[in-house]
Amino acid sequence: MRVIAKKTLREFWERHTDVKPQLQAWLEDTERAKWQTPRDIQDIYGADTVLPGNRAVFNIKGNNYRLVVEIHYNTGIAYIRFIGTHAEYDRIDALTI
């Protein structure tokens, strides 16, 4: 997958250094992935990761952080839509952000 807005992840892990290794690992895994359907993500991360509207929510660092990604399966692009603490995630709508 091609990840759009890697800068967003880098800026986040520069402010929250405790999560840097986990975000780097997610980024590397995602760039190697060839997700073609939501099922491909579910097989790795579980059914609760996939949301309607080609969105996925990834729990990062023991669910302390949440990452929302919009996935365009046909083009192989994953767009970073949100990264934040679990409490910050609770204040957004993952389907529209």
Side-chain angles (χ1 to χ4, degrees):
M1 300 296 294
R2 181 173 167 219
V3 177
I4 302 295
K6 289 186 247 187
K7 179 181 176 184
T8 302
L9 293 179
R10 281 192 299 271
E11 289 173 349
F12 190 82
W13 77 50
E14 287 171 0
R15 289 189 319 272
H16 303 270
T17 56
D18 64 311
V19 75
K20 182 178 180 178
Q22 291 84 1
L23 285 176
Q24 286 177 324
W26 178 89
L27 182 59
E28 290 172 13
D29 290 346
T30 300
E31 288 180 325
R32 283 193 301 265
K34 296 188 182 341
W35 299 327
Q36 296 187 11
T37 68
R39 181 68 188 184
D40 296 336
I41 297 171
Q42 290 175 334
D43 288 346
I44 298 167
Y45 295 100
D48 59 340
T49 301
V50 176
L51 299 176
N54 292 330
R55 301 283 176 118
V57 177
F58 298 91
N59 296 319
I60 307 292
K61 196 173 183 224
N63 206 19
N64 290 323
Y65 299 93
R66 293 274 178 99
L67 173 63
V68 179
V69 179
E70 181 178 348
I71 301 163
H72 292 229
Y73 298 98
N74 60 332
T75 59
I77 298 175
Y79 294 90
I80 305 298
R81 305 302 297 159
F82 170 85
I83 178 69
T85 66
H86 197 142
E88 290 167 335
Y89 172 83
D90 288 341
R91 294 191 299 267
I92 61 130
D93 181 352
L95 299 176
T96 60
I97 195 163

